[in-house]
Amino acid sequence: MLMVSLPFSASMPLARSLSVTSLSGLEDWDEEFDLDGAVLFEIAWEVANKVGGIYTVIQTKARLTSEEWGENYFLVGPYMESNVRTQVELIETTNPALRRTIDKMNSSGCKVYFGRWLIEGSPYVVLIDVAFTAWSLDRWKTELWESFSIGVPWFDREANDAVLFGFLTAWLLGEFAAQCEEPPHILAHFHEWLAGLGLMLCRQRRLPVATIFTTHATLLGRYLCAGNVDFYNNLSDFNMDKEAGDRQIYHRYCLERAAAHCAHVFTTVSQITAIEAEHLLKRKPDVVTPNGLNVKKFSAMHEFQNLHAHSKNRIQEFIRGHFYGHLDFNLDKCIFLFIAGRYEFSNKGADLFLEALARLNYLLRVNHSEVTVIAFFIMPARTNNFNVETLKGQAVRKQLWDTAQTVKEKFGKKLYESLLVGQLPDVSKMLDREDFTMMKRAIFATQRQCQPPICTHNMLEDSSDPILNCLRRIGLFNGSSDRVKVIFHPEFLSSTSPLLPMDYEEFVRGCHLGVFPSYYEPWGYTPAECTVMGIPSISTNLSGFGCFMEEHIADPTSYGIYIVDRRHRSVDESCNQLTSFLFQFCQQSRRQRIIQRNRTERLSDLLDWRYLGRYYVSARHMALAKTFPDTYYYEPQDPTSKQGFCYPRPASVPPSPALSRHSSPHHSEAEDDNDERYDEDMEAEKDRLNIRQPLALPYRNKNAPPYTSTASSGNSSPSSATSPPSSITSPPSSVSSEKN
């Protein structure tokens, strides 16, 4: 049984969470809301430390938060020397209270660093060396047990780091409060269970700190889904303590659940994860904070179609080398699919994708389709080197290119000399015997006795690898009769790779469709990145991204957002639906794919932090008002109806053809007639009418000095509101200006 001391009544679950039905489902912010008296600390293990998706959340959100809070925004994370050397500029802080805090901690046996994180927005970072204070681990574990009845085993290094990091962050916040001349208004936002102990200690010590806890994925949910259980249909039936104990993560689960209950405001990243958290952590989130992106970073104006063509050509070059000797398909009629992410075979939906590819292969063959599908699996696994056969393919391709260039130069020189003397060239004399010998040798070098390799690397655990074993079972071996080819690239993409020299963004732009049929995906940055770059994608209604798009788009498929139902259908039915989506996509003409990419790219504004950041703004407002009711005012309201916006169905015919149409990508007269109805400018203007202005940040004086103070104790107990918040009224609608 979980035993945690909850000192405040506000730590109990609240009645209902903020509506996520629409982006405008938030209160109308008062632009005179003053943040000059508040300081924001955002605490996460992923600050300047790339270990997971939370790193992307914090990194991309930093610019918007810095604009809102100015000099009073500080990120807190662990000190990792290798990361600091390349990502952080160490400087002296200009905040007197924080400078005294860091000096006091350093003189007491800690190592705390201050600097600027070299990303967009250049936010301040406070980095704590947890290893330097490892001598305090046993003492702090004892205090953790005495205060919260949570014991951490000695062998769990990650949990030990969480204990050290938690006590050090609580020390930092408490010392900062003590160094303030006036009673401080501190807001601390903690991400994930690794940072959760600091929040618990803030509440237990009654520090004047407003706290927010965000879970990006529950620990138990990830473990249960990886165990092939019917997770979402049995959420209410799990014995949480037993399940966590069976998986030897009970102490981690206790830390996560206690942090969720101790926080003034509890948030999560999607509606599907909110349901999960309500059952597993026993508290309903107060606000759902969807993850966004800096759309400006990916925005390529109207050049994104050209970027797609350029990147696709680079992928085609790789394909020419990989399939040398078996290049019996037309590259101009190839469809490039990909799946990317952590190597979680079931959670990420790789199992469903492979089964759908086998069925798609059958459909394309029986329909005598001229389309060839090449599916890339970009999932890091344990390898020892590149596959020799794969490297040889690229070498053969380069040799053929060099041979063709040599012959072309000789041919061009003879042609030039013939034209100079006013004679038409004798084609039979343009190439001599030596040229033909060179070309024959090049052709013979492309002969290959084996099938093109599936994996680009030598796997350390080839016989037990889930993807390779599934490919053996379904019989996809890149044979000449297969219309679906598979390439497994078990490492992250890099522009310096000798095999596929492309970074991830460039590779995504060159593909036609991203496929992410995840079973467990609290948000899903991979389909979001596809959308921002104008690449259609397949997601599921068990991913946060898929649920978000279903709520905000009347007909997601028309905008290139295909959503597989994995919640209310059996595995076989979901697989058939995924196969149907893939087959329909293969039937599209080139013109239809261009139209669909235009529509997909227009959705990028929907994923901009300028819109989604308002959920974080609301959570902070709520936490400040609960903790400091005398200074900040928050009035929950109960709207009578849902307000917001939803992208309508496009005015023209959706680009996805019916299954009865032919599979050839050539245009038909009927398709040409339908395409005439498509007017990009008209559709884009209609979509702009359904999107709000970018987030108007709360007013703050840019020239105001940072929050300063001198040494005096400020340990007044914060009071917290206990009334449950309701859904909040939305601001008046407005039409956005021309998008970037």
Side-chain angles (χ1 to χ4, degrees), residues 535-583:
I535 303 300
S537 63
I538 296 178
S539 187
T540 72
N541 59 356
L542 292 182
S543 72
F545 174 83
C547 293
F548 181 83
M549 286 301 186
E550 276 189 322
E551 291 172 353
H552 291 88
I553 306 175
D555 183 12
T557 303
S558 298
Y559 286 92
I561 308 295
Y562 300 86
I563 299 173
V564 176
D565 184 0
R566 294 202 65 177
R567 188 173 186 186
H568 306 295
R569 297 192 183 194
S570 67
V571 176
D572 187 64
E573 290 172 333
S574 297
C575 188
N576 283 335
Q577 186 183 20
L578 175 57
T579 307
S580 174
F581 284 154
L582 294 175
F583 188 55

Side-chain angles (χ1 to χ4, degrees), residues 73 100 105 112 245 324 355 428 464 485 511 536 550 587 609 704:
Y73 173 51
R100 288 191 293 272
M105 291 183 68
V112 183
Y324 83 92
E355 183 62 37
S428 62
S464 60
K485 320 284 186 181
C511 290
E550 276 189 322
Q587 287 182 298
W609 274 122

Side-chain angles (χ1 to χ4, degrees), residues 347-411:
N347 282 358
K348 295 299 182 183
D351 51 351
L352 194 73
F353 185 28
L354 284 167
E355 183 62 37
L357 287 176
R359 300 182 185 188
L360 176 65
N361 186 46
Y362 171 78
L363 286 176
L364 293 176
R365 289 171 63 179
V366 299
N367 284 276
H368 305 290
S369 174
E370 297 178 7
V371 173
T372 299
V373 172
I374 298 179
F376 291 87
F377 286 74
I378 313 295
M379 291 183 159
R382 296 181 62 200
T383 64
N384 60 16
N385 214 329
F386 292 108
N387 187 309
V388 173
E389 189 64 26
T390 306
L391 288 173
K392 180 183 175 183
Q394 300 307 313
V396 169
R397 178 193 62 79
K398 188 176 185 304
Q399 181 185 11
L400 282 172
W401 174 259
D402 292 341
T403 300
Q405 291 298 108
T406 301
V407 173
K408 185 179 77 171
E409 288 178 8
K410 293 176 67 175
F411 185 94

Side-chain angles (χ1 to χ4, degrees), residues 291-583:
N291 292 333
L293 286 164
N294 279 334
V295 173
K296 202 171 185 180
K297 174 184 175 184
F298 296 99
S299 183
M301 302 298 287
H302 296 291
E303 287 293 315
F304 81 96
Q305 293 284 6
N306 296 335
L307 291 173
H308 166 74
H310 174 73
S311 298
K312 184 179 71 173
N313 289 338
R314 296 196 62 183
I315 296 176
Q316 287 177 339
E317 284 300 301
F318 168 78
I319 295 299
R320 289 185 177 98
H322 192 82
F323 288 92
Y324 83 92
H326 295 273
L327 204 62
D328 51 2
F329 50 88
N330 188 346
L331 278 175
D332 290 331
K333 296 179 181 178
C334 273
I335 300 294
F336 298 145
L337 315 179
F338 81 99
I339 182 173
R342 259 193 317 269
Y343 197 173
E344 296 178 7
F345 184 64
S346 298
N347 282 358
K348 295 299 182 183
D351 51 351
L352 194 73
F353 185 28
L354 284 167
E355 183 62 37
L357 287 176
R359 300 182 185 188
L360 176 65
N361 186 46
Y362 171 78
L363 286 176
L364 293 176
R365 289 171 63 179
V366 299
N367 284 276
H368 305 290
S369 174
E370 297 178 7
V371 173
T372 299
V373 172
I374 298 179
F376 291 87
F377 286 74
I378 313 295
M379 291 183 159
R382 296 181 62 200
T383 64
N384 60 16
N385 214 329
F386 292 108
N387 187 309
V388 173
E389 189 64 26
T390 306
L391 288 173
K392 180 183 175 183
Q394 300 307 313
V396 169
R397 178 193 62 79
K398 188 176 185 304
Q399 181 185 11
L400 282 172
W401 174 259
D402 292 341
T403 300
Q405 291 298 108
T406 301
V407 173
K408 185 179 77 171
E409 288 178 8
K410 293 176 67 175
F411 185 94
K413 186 177 180 180
K414 291 180 180 179
L415 176 62
Y416 172 66
E417 291 174 348
S418 178
L419 294 176
L420 277 177
V421 298
Q423 295 179 356
L424 289 175
D426 185 351
V427 178
S428 62
K429 296 179 180 179
M430 297 299 289
L431 297 176
D432 53 28
R433 184 183 298 272
E434 182 183 347
D435 296 327
F436 281 102
T437 301
M438 187 188 304
M439 289 188 289
K440 287 179 181 179
R441 288 179 60 185
I443 292 173
F444 289 162
T446 63
Q447 294 181 1
R448 191 185 224 170
Q449 302 303 319
C450 60
Q451 297 280 20
I454 289 174
C455 188
T456 59
H457 292 62
N458 295 323
M459 301 290 291
L460 289 179
E461 299 169 351
D462 182 286
S463 60
S464 60
D465 183 79
I467 288 179
L468 296 181
N469 280 339
C470 186
L471 287 169
R472 294 178 184 118
R473 178 180 61 82
I474 62 181
L476 282 180
F477 299 119
N478 293 343
S480 58
S481 61
D482 290 327
R483 298 267 51 84
V484 173
K485 320 284 186 181
V486 177
I487 298 175
F488 180 21
H489 190 274
E491 74 172 15
F492 288 119
L493 294 168
S494 171
S495 58
T496 60
S497 170
L499 195 64
L500 184 55
M502 303 176 72
D503 59 28
Y504 179 73
E505 179 183 341
E506 187 179 10
F507 175 80
V508 171
R509 285 193 184 276
C511 290
H512 296 94
L513 181 70
V515 185
F516 315 102
S518 306
Y519 184 73
Y520 186 79
E521 190 68 80
W523 175 246
Y525 258 123
T526 42
E529 288 166 341
C530 285
T531 303
V532 167
M533 289 185 274
I535 303 300
S537 63
I538 296 178
S539 187
T540 72
N541 59 356
L542 292 182
S543 72
F545 174 83
C547 293
F548 181 83
M549 286 301 186
E550 276 189 322
E551 291 172 353
H552 291 88
I553 306 175
D555 183 12
T557 303
S558 298
Y559 286 92
I561 308 295
Y562 300 86
I563 299 173
V564 176
D565 184 0
R566 294 202 65 177
R567 188 173 186 186
H568 306 295
R569 297 192 183 194
S570 67
V571 176
D572 187 64
E573 290 172 333
S574 297
C575 188
N576 283 335
Q577 186 183 20
L578 175 57
T579 307
S580 174
F581 284 154
L582 294 175
F583 188 55

Side-chain angles (χ1 to χ4, degrees), residues 335 360 363-364 367 369-371 373 562 579-593 655-668 671:
I335 300 294
L360 176 65
L363 286 176
L364 293 176
N367 284 276
S369 174
E370 297 178 7
V371 173
V373 172
Y562 300 86
T579 307
S580 174
F581 284 154
L582 294 175
F583 188 55
Q584 289 180 43
F585 190 84
C586 291
Q587 287 182 298
Q588 292 185 38
S589 67
R590 182 174 178 272
R591 167 70 172 163
Q592 289 169 327
R593 291 199 300 270
S656 298
L659 289 176
S660 59
R661 291 191 185 178
H662 60 82
S663 58
S664 169
H666 289 299
H667 289 271
S668 67
E671 289 173 351

Side-chain angles (χ1 to χ4, degrees), residues 278-300:
E278 186 176 2
H279 286 87
L280 300 189
L281 302 181
K282 305 302 180 183
R283 177 174 179 180
K284 187 173 184 178
D286 305 306
V287 185
V288 174
T289 53
N291 292 333
L293 286 164
N294 279 334
V295 173
K296 202 171 185 180
K297 174 184 175 184
F298 296 99
S299 183

